[in-house]
Amino acid sequence: MIACGAIAREILAIARINNLEHIDLHCLPAIYHSYPQKIAPALKEAIADARSRGFEKIFIGYADCGTGGDIDRICEQEGIERLSGPHCYSFFSGNDAFAAREDDVTSFFLTDFLARQFEAFVVVPLGLDRHPELKEMYFGNYRKIVYLSQEEDPALQEKAKAAAAYLGLDYEYRFTGYGDLARELLAV
């Protein structure tokens, strides 16, 4: 499995809980979450590397993740599959449940990973640490942070609340667990 480093912890937990010892996980840098144009070229390299090491069955641990269909094109060319859905917020929520919600259009989403790494993956890449005046430009159309939690961890909830306060947004907590990610990994 070639996956986003931002979901490595969850993939490993699902594999451990379900004795999925056949999964050999290789992760691309999680920071690509902030630079989706880097995902497809890195996936091509990782797929070529995996094939050169003798892996025949490869699964992509990414949804579309802002690549504009590039991951799907690679999967089609290579004859491999990827996680369903447009992004991790969708598959953690459950793709059908996420698609059914109409009130999330003005929501900024956090997962456990982003709650842990908010400064490194949101504040610094967007330059908010150096130019706090940019918060309004980037987040002015958002109304709330929705924290989609994989683990019920009070410390992470506090971090997510602090992120909402930092951005001046309302806060909503939703425990999702692993959502569709678990179902799809069990099928791999």
Side-chain angles (χ1 to χ4, degrees), residues 61-180:
Y62 278 91
D64 181 66
C65 301
T67 68
D70 286 348
I71 294 174
D72 286 334
R73 283 185 279 285
I74 290 169
C75 288
E76 186 176 326
Q77 291 166 0
E78 297 287 341
I80 55 182
E81 296 180 36
R82 70 163 173 88
L83 291 171
S84 300
H87 41 66
C88 60
Y89 316 123
S90 180
F91 65 68
F92 279 137
S93 294
N95 288 313
D96 292 339
F98 189 87
R101 291 194 71 110
E102 295 182 12
D103 63 328
D104 282 342
V105 71
T106 58
S107 298
F108 184 76
F109 293 93
L110 297 180
T111 61
D112 287 357
F113 177 85
L114 285 173
R116 280 186 192 92
Q117 303 293 330
F118 182 75
E119 186 168 337
F121 281 79
V122 178
V123 175
V124 173
L126 294 178
L128 302 179
D129 55 330
R130 299 173 310 282
H131 301 283
E133 69 275 10
L134 293 174
K135 281 193 257 186
E136 179 60 29
M137 288 178 64
Y138 288 131
F139 296 96
N141 292 319
Y142 289 106
R143 299 291 165 247
K144 64 184 173 183
I145 275 186
V146 175
Y147 173 30
L148 304 173
S149 170
Q150 289 71 70
E151 299 175 19
E152 292 187 287
D153 182 334
L156 288 180
Q157 290 178 43
E158 288 305 313
K159 286 183 177 210
K161 286 178 189 175
Y166 175 80
L167 296 176
L169 300 174
D170 292 337
Y171 173 78
E172 182 178 326
Y173 174 77
R174 297 180 198 161
F175 176 72
T176 63
Y178 301 124
D180 287 348

Side-chain angles (χ1 to χ4, degrees), residues 1-13 15 23-33 38-39 42-47 49-50 53 55 58-62 83 113 121 181 185:
M1 174 178 279
I2 303 168
C4 175
I7 62 169
R9 183 184 198 121
E10 290 77 13
I11 291 170
L12 291 172
I23 293 179
D24 185 330
L25 180 62
H26 171 79
C27 290
L28 299 181
I31 194 64
Y32 289 2
H33 176 85
K38 294 183 176 187
I39 298 171
L43 277 175
K44 282 186 173 187
E45 285 183 32
I47 292 166
D49 179 61
R53 290 185 292 128
F55 288 97
I58 298 172
F59 185 81
I60 302 298
Y62 278 91
L83 291 171
F113 177 85
F121 281 79
L181 179 62
L185 291 184

